[in-house]
Amino acid sequence: MTDLGTRAARPVLSAGDIRDVAVIGSGPAGLTAAVYLARADLHPLVIAGEPSSTSDQPGGQLMLTTEVENFPGFPEGVLGPDLMERFRVQAERFGAEIVTAKVSRVDLGSQPFGVWTDDPGHAEPDHRVRSVIIATGARALTLGVPGEAKLTGHGVSTCATCDGFFFRDQPIAVVGGGDSALEEATFLSRFASSVVVVHRRRQLRASKIMQGRAFADPKISFVYDAVVTEILGDDKLTGLRLVDIVTGEARELAVGGCFIAIGHAPNTDLFAGQLKMDGAGYIRTLDGSSTSVAGVFACGDVQDHVYRQAITAAGSGCMAALDVDRYLAAQESR
């Protein structure tokens, strides 16, 4: 099994020093990278995000998840926030420095790179680093209706693979009309007593093959021309309030689970114009985790719009740390 190499001990860094590496983000990808980097005596700085931020909160999307049953090593399951606390403690055990702050600006135009966590208008960055790992993740797009935030993790979810098992033999709603929505609906039909797909238009946006699979599934039905205006329930979800956008008629749909599948957006605004991205704004990586700028690496959901699982994010965080170690070793040998 490949692990990071061992270097001579490095001095503890103080403010103003040029650091070897900064990790931006503290979800499974960022903290896994921090564990590997810290064990290599690279003294990683992890800029975790701010609790008030919805796009880069410390711990990532797992902080909004209740029970996690598909992360290896936890046969009885683990709460999302508890899992991320374990990640953090492990990274700190090996010497990672984790700061609770929001990155406001980065300069990837020249070495050493500049990272600002204060006023982005300040001339001097708060940190100068030889390499950067971007692990800012992605955020699920939400409806923004009453009850949604309160019941997220208590009947409302954005990941069928993560949470579908908990809704066995219950009626479920999926909101959306694209490939992701129909893929989630088809997956959820394995567990649910029924699945209702709620779409705001008369025509689905999903590919024909995905529509064909959903239409052929006897458990899946459709409500067209409808929007969710409220998510109902006190401690757990009990139903949705729908409004027909053609007639204006309102009604309630009783469900035990609601999966929002209207898309994801990568947290890449900081890096726009500095790194190559795909049409959806995800950072392009090649040769592992390398980006279009030497010394800058990306891992987790910020560059992965396919799998979007905690375990794949953690694995890519390991890859990024290994890539940084090799990059810095190559720079030292010049």
Side-chain angles (χ1 to χ4, degrees), residues 14-94:
S14 59
D17 288 336
I18 298 175
R19 308 185 70 115
D20 279 321
V21 57
V23 179
I24 304 176
S26 60
L31 290 181
T32 299
V35 168
Y36 277 76
L37 294 166
R39 292 184 70 246
D41 202 28
L42 289 173
H43 301 296
L45 171 69
V46 180
I47 305 174
E50 291 182 336
S52 60
S53 173
T54 57
S55 62
D56 68 345
Q57 65 175 343
Q61 294 185 69
L62 280 187
M63 297 301 289
L64 304 176
T65 304
T66 49
E67 197 78 11
V68 178
E69 291 195 326
N70 57 1
F71 199 90
F74 296 89
E76 305 302 323
V78 60
L79 294 177
D82 289 348
L83 178 60
M84 294 320 303
E85 177 63 17
R86 289 173 180 245
F87 271 68
R88 182 184 182 109
V89 169
Q90 187 172 9
E92 290 179 323
R93 172 193 169 198
F94 292 114

Side-chain angles (χ1 to χ4, degrees), residues 4 37 131 133 286-290 297-298 316-329:
L4 292 176
L37 294 166
S131 62
I133 291 179
L286 64 158
D287 297 329
S289 63
S290 299
F297 304 83
S316 69
C318 168
M319 293 166 57
L322 293 171
D323 290 341
V324 164
D325 182 66
R326 291 164 182 155
Y327 168 80
L328 292 173

